[in-house]
Amino acid sequence: MDDLRERVIGCVLGLALGDALGAPFEFRRRGEIPNPLPAFERGWMGLAPGHWTDDTAMARNLCRSLAERGRLDTDDVVRRHLEWLATDPPDVGNLTGRVLRGIRDSVPDAAERYVSERGPEISAGNGSVMYSAPLGAFRAARPELLVEEAPALSAITHWDERCRTACLAVTLVVAALVRGEMHRKAVEGAVAAVLDREGGEELEYLVAEAGRARPLDGPDMGFTLFTAGIGLQVTSEGVSFEEGLRYVVSLGGDTDTNAAVTGALLGALHGRGALPGAWLEKLVDRQAIEAEAVALAAAATA
């Protein structure tokens, strides 16, 4: 039980660390990323090093909701997202912001309408998979519930079926890792579970080729299956937390979100004790995030 708790906490803190590590390099091409990577030395949007983006903000909303409600309550998650949006945060994804403002303004079926109005070319962003990992940690003991819950979480803002597939795959891997499954088996099992869903075969390909045959820093860098694919790829290789995150950020593209998902996965694999202490010291609101992770772990083992 202690190991499970440490992996849940590692997942949540790992997400925030990955987000903050990648934020200063967001949307850069691979060749523009410094080598060696200056970890937690640069700020983001005029903020000090260690600040995180909307990825972590929305993940914290999810963590609090799960811990307090003891289940996935999408209405409660929406309420928390709208309260956060009302604070005028420095960064909100375009798709996420449009849908949340639609919900706020009582637009019927705002997420579904976005897909029908804008089309599949731009409706499969990574704004739901970026914060979905805590749901997998919460459901480690009951992963069968994720088949319904992960797509429902995605559909709050990201209705596209490929987004739902990405969320399901990532949460299934997180759940397996938190339970203590081997990393390669966890990834292979999740990919097999989503293979027949929309985007499943492409995800399988990207787990092998993201960052290799398929670069992550092109015009479609925010594609949800890119983010899920690179996270699952690195996790399947079982690399250390720091090595995995440095590699993912070095690939360029949507670095904060790719690293947030990878950080959550590697944190679930290795546990809180494997997270770099020097990075944790610089993580903004570290104590509050850790307290929320502890509460999530308690709810997951209740």
Side-chain angles (χ1 to χ4, degrees), residues 96-109:
T96 298
R98 176 165 172 163
V99 171
L100 287 179
R101 285 188 288 271
I103 295 172
R104 178 198 63 193
D105 298 338
S106 301
V107 174
D109 303 318

Side-chain angles (χ1 to χ4, degrees), residues 3-275:
D3 287 345
L4 187 149
R5 177 179 180 274
E6 291 301 295
R7 287 191 286 265
V8 172
I9 297 169
C11 173
V12 176
L13 283 174
L15 187 156
L17 284 174
D19 183 16
L21 176 71
F25 310 102
E26 186 179 22
F27 303 140
R28 292 193 186 186
R29 300 301 296 267
R30 183 173 188 168
E32 298 172 339
I33 305 295
N35 183 19
L37 186 75
F40 288 84
E41 296 176 15
R42 299 187 181 184
W44 165 77
M45 295 190 71
L47 302 170
H51 273 273
W52 30 265
T53 76
D54 52 339
D55 304 46
T56 301
M58 297 180 76
R60 293 182 70 183
N61 290 341
L62 176 60
C63 284
R64 296 186 195 108
S65 181
L66 291 169
E68 293 176 19
R69 303 290 291 173
R71 60 185 177 88
L72 177 64
D73 181 340
T74 54
D75 289 339
D76 186 65
V77 175
V78 168
R79 177 184 64 80
R80 293 170 190 269
H81 286 346
L82 292 178
E83 289 176 353
W84 162 72
L85 185 68
T87 67
D88 193 24
D91 180 47
V92 183
N94 290 334
L95 192 163
T96 298
R98 176 165 172 163
V99 171
L100 287 179
R101 285 188 288 271
I103 295 172
R104 178 198 63 193
D105 298 338
S106 301
V107 174
D109 303 318
E112 185 176 6
R113 178 172 295 194
Y114 184 97
V115 176
S116 62
E117 290 180 352
R118 305 301 298 275
E121 292 80 9
I122 60 172
S123 64
N126 55 18
S128 58
V129 73
M130 73 183 189
Y131 78 96
S132 64
L135 177 61
F138 177 70
R139 287 303 189 198
R142 298 196 65 189
E144 69 278 3
L145 297 179
L146 293 171
V147 175
E148 298 293 335
E149 290 184 343
L153 176 68
S154 177
I156 291 173
T157 53
H158 290 63
W159 188 268
D160 191 296
E161 286 291 342
R162 293 165 293 177
C163 300
R164 303 192 201 204
T165 295
C167 286
L168 178 56
V170 167
T171 56
L172 285 171
V173 175
V174 169
L177 295 173
V178 168
R179 289 195 305 275
E181 280 192 20
M182 293 297 294
H183 47 87
R184 191 173 299 277
K185 179 182 177 183
V187 172
E188 290 175 351
V191 171
V194 304
L195 198 57
D196 292 336
R197 296 180 59 93
E198 186 172 345
E201 291 186 358
E202 186 169 7
L203 178 61
E204 181 183 43
Y205 170 76
L206 289 169
V207 170
E209 297 298 342
R212 297 167 179 163
R214 287 290 294 274
L216 301 181
D217 59 350
D220 51 356
M221 62 180 65
F223 183 37
T224 189
L225 297 180
F226 280 178
T227 296
I230 191 61
L232 298 188
Q233 176 193 115
V234 170
T235 302
S236 73
E237 295 169 351
V239 300
S240 72
F241 184 87
E242 183 170 345
E243 179 185 354
L245 285 188
R246 285 182 178 274
Y247 170 69
V248 167
V249 175
S250 78
L251 297 174
D254 200 355
T255 50
D256 61 319
T257 296
N258 294 342
V261 172
T262 304
L265 287 160
L266 291 178
L269 172 60
H270 297 299
R272 171 169 51 176
L275 307 183

